[in-house]
Amino acid sequence: MAYLGYFEVLLAVVFFVLFYIIRRNTGVPINWPLIGMLPSTLRYFNSLHEGLTEILGRTGGTFPIKGPWLANMDTVATADPANVHHVMSANFPNFPKGGDFLKIFEVLGNGIFNADEDMWKRQRKLARVLINHRRFHQFLLKTSRCKVVDGLIPFLDHFSERGMTVDFQEMFQRLTFDTTCILVTGYDPGCLSIDLPEVQFAEAMDAAEEAILVRHILPQTVWKLQRWLGLGHEKKLTKAWETLDRVIHKYITMKREELSKKEKTVKKREEEEAADLLTSYMIEDDEELGMGLKCDDKFLRDTVLNLMLAGRDTVSSCLTWFFWLVLQNPKVEAKIREELETVIPGEDADRRRIFDAQEVTNLVYLHGALCEALRLYPPVPFQHKEAVQARYSFQFHVAYLFYLLFLVQVFTLD
């Protein structure tokens, strides 16, 4: 009687796996027994947007991603406008961010990114009131111009005079970090400098964002175990969290001391003058606004961090892609230059000029080029939702506690 040895069994397993791969090689992730599509997800880790775009392009715009067994990671990725309308409009109450969303983004606290339903509406309403206020608009114009004149231009001149290469992505990240920090807190961290300094606040935000991305890919039990053991990105997140809390607490304390030193008459006058958002949150009378929000240190900490996250990477991403696209299209660059020349006085035609916001308000072609860059490469390329109840959509069944991942980038490229 013949017996199979270890080598024969191993060979059989290898051939079975190879046959399984060949049979299922359709250009989309393979749903493996027990581990689901986790290997393919990890393979796309460094090119997540491109990978999902490719997969959705091959599957008609909607694809169910199976997570490991018992990991509660099953996700429906979609870029179909009909499905997006179904979730974001027609059945919006059935698709909140969900409890697991709060766990993944816990470092953001109870800010507007993590808020749901009524709390989200109240925070959004208050933020819109303060951002649209005349005093913040004045501060925005003043800050943006000063940062370009005193920061960006000297930075570019320094590297240009020495014939050195400039990484535009890093430059814009530093520019928008400084600008956003000033607009939100009133303080300049000095990230945009010819010395390319390492700023703890900026590095902590980078580490936090990277850990949040990893949490989307790894099973919850895995990243929680890493946090408990103090390993990998969770270890970096713990340190980054401490840095974020420390720096933001310092800004809040400084702002409270700054406001407390002012006389009531001066403080009242400054309510109508240019002011950063942190000042606006502190001096606004919430009872008059009727928002029902308590602007204590915890609320201010979460609000500052959420606004910093919203303003930094989105603007820097837009500027980076915009200039990259313009460099790829000389005709577009020429038309933008021609349009800019129409608002330059004749005596300034041959001199360097920094435009005021009013001068570029009516530049239609420039506005269209920026909008096209946003359409092709949206700064926030996907959104994350969770189903409360089972519903049937246009192309897929959304089961209880399924995650939804909207890929904005895909349906803008169609």
Side-chain angles (χ1 to χ4, degrees):
M1 185 175 181
Y3 293 94
L4 292 177
Y6 291 114
F7 177 75
E8 288 81 1
V9 173
L10 178 62
L11 193 62
V13 171
V14 171
F15 275 108
F16 172 78
V17 172
L18 290 175
F19 175 75
Y20 187 84
I21 293 175
I22 294 172
R23 184 171 62 87
R24 297 294 303 276
N25 187 20
T26 59
V28 298
I30 298 173
N31 184 20
W32 297 93
L34 299 180
I35 60 175
M37 299 179 181
L38 184 60
S40 297
T41 305
L42 295 175
R43 181 166 65 90
Y44 286 120
F45 177 74
N46 290 323
S47 56
L48 188 60
H49 302 154
E50 292 80 0
L52 285 172
T53 300
E54 181 182 343
I55 292 169
L56 292 179
R58 293 176 176 176
T59 56
T62 302
F63 182 72
I65 302 174
K66 302 294 291 184
W69 183 52
L70 299 179
N72 192 31
M73 290 181 62
D74 290 352
T75 304
V76 174
T78 183
D80 189 305
N83 290 331
V84 175
H85 172 76
H86 173 82
V87 174
M88 298 298 291
S89 180
N91 292 279
F92 185 76
N94 189 54
F95 297 94
K97 296 167 185 174
D100 286 336
F101 183 98
L102 301 182
K103 294 176 183 177
I104 292 174
F105 290 87
E106 61 181 338
V107 68
L108 300 182
N110 298 319
I112 193 169
F113 278 149
N114 283 349
D116 250 332
E117 300 177 352
D118 184 57
M119 181 57 69
W120 174 80
K121 292 179 181 178
R122 283 187 284 164
Q123 289 199 40
R124 180 174 178 267
K125 184 178 180 181
L126 177 57
R128 289 186 65 178
V129 168
L130 299 182
I131 290 174
N132 292 328
H133 199 284
R134 182 167 58 89
R135 64 167 172 256
F136 179 72
H137 182 68
Q138 293 174 347
F139 190 65
L140 171 63
L141 295 178
K142 176 184 175 182
T143 300
S144 300
R145 182 175 181 84
C146 288
K147 202 61 191 178
V148 169
V149 173
D150 301 329
L152 182 61
I153 299 301
F155 183 90
L156 289 172
D157 285 342
H158 172 81
F159 286 93
S160 175
E161 291 168 0
R162 289 159 178 76
M164 300 169 64
T165 302
V166 176
D167 184 338
F168 264 37
Q169 183 175 4
E170 180 183 4
M171 180 187 71
F172 285 133
Q173 284 178 337
R174 290 177 176 273
L175 170 67
T176 55
F177 181 79
D178 283 353
T179 304
T180 304
C181 195
I182 297 171
L183 293 174
V184 174
T185 69
Y187 302 109
D188 187 352
C191 193
L192 182 65
S193 171
I194 59 175
D195 300 326
L196 301 178
E198 295 181 358
V199 178
Q200 286 189 334
F201 193 11
E203 292 178 345
M205 288 191 66
D206 290 336
E209 290 176 3
E210 191 171 350
I212 289 173
L213 176 60
V214 173
R215 285 185 174 188
H216 277 86
I217 297 174
L218 292 180
Q220 191 174 127
T221 52
V222 174
W223 62 257
K224 281 189 173 183
L225 179 62
Q226 287 184 330
R227 181 176 61 184
W228 184 67
L229 295 174
L231 300 174
H233 288 89
E234 291 300 314
K235 180 180 180 181
K236 295 179 181 178
L237 176 59
T238 301
K239 294 181 178 179
W241 198 328
E242 294 173 354
T243 300
L244 293 172
D245 285 349
R246 184 181 69 256
V247 174
I248 295 175
H249 176 73
K250 181 184 71 173
Y251 286 151
I252 293 173
T253 302
M254 291 167 58
K255 186 62 66 176
R256 288 198 186 280
E257 293 175 352
E258 177 185 324
L259 293 177
S260 66
K261 292 178 182 178
K262 300 180 183 296
E263 297 292 337
K264 291 184 178 180
T265 54
V266 177
K267 183 177 177 181
K268 186 66 178 177
R269 186 175 71 249
E270 287 199 347
E271 291 183 7
E272 300 302 323
E273 297 178 355
D276 57 84
L277 288 176
L278 183 56
T279 298
S280 297
Y281 273 99
M282 288 183 175
I283 66 177
E284 279 295 349
D285 187 347
D286 187 61
E287 292 182 1
E288 294 181 5
L289 294 172
M291 305 293 181
L293 298 170
K294 184 180 179 182
C295 293
D296 55 14
D297 283 5
K298 176 64 169 62
F299 174 82
L300 292 174
R301 177 267 181 200
D302 295 342
T303 300
V304 167
L305 183 55
N306 279 252
L307 292 174
M308 285 293 302
L309 187 66
R312 183 188 73 149
D313 292 332
T314 51
V315 178
S316 65
S317 173
C318 173
L319 290 173
T320 303
W321 282 115
F322 171 74
F323 279 96
W324 183 82
L325 287 168
V326 169
L327 289 173
Q328 305 301 313
N329 297 273
K331 292 183 179 179
V332 173
E333 180 183 356
K335 290 183 178 180
I336 292 175
R337 287 179 175 274
E338 289 176 6
E339 190 176 47
L340 287 171
E341 289 173 358
T342 62
V343 297
I344 300 177
E347 61 273 15
D348 294 338
D350 297 326
R351 291 185 291 180
R352 173 184 287 178
R353 183 179 181 81
I354 298 175
F355 296 90
D356 291 325
Q358 295 80 2
E359 293 179 306
V360 297
T361 299
N362 297 319
L363 299 186
V364 179
Y365 193 86
L366 176 60
H367 180 265
L370 284 166
C371 289
E372 183 67 1
L374 287 169
R375 186 186 74 84
L376 293 172
Y377 299 99
V380 184
F382 58 79
Q383 292 190 36
H384 177 182
K385 289 285 186 176
E386 186 174 316
V388 175
Q389 297 177 348
R391 293 285 181 98
Y392 280 92
S393 182
F394 292 86
Q395 291 189 12
F396 61 87
H397 174 240
V398 181
Y400 179 68
L401 287 183
F402 260 48
Y403 299 121
L404 282 163
L405 192 67
F406 301 144
L407 223 68
V408 180
Q409 188 174 16
V410 177
F411 57 74
T412 61
L413 291 174
D414 283 346

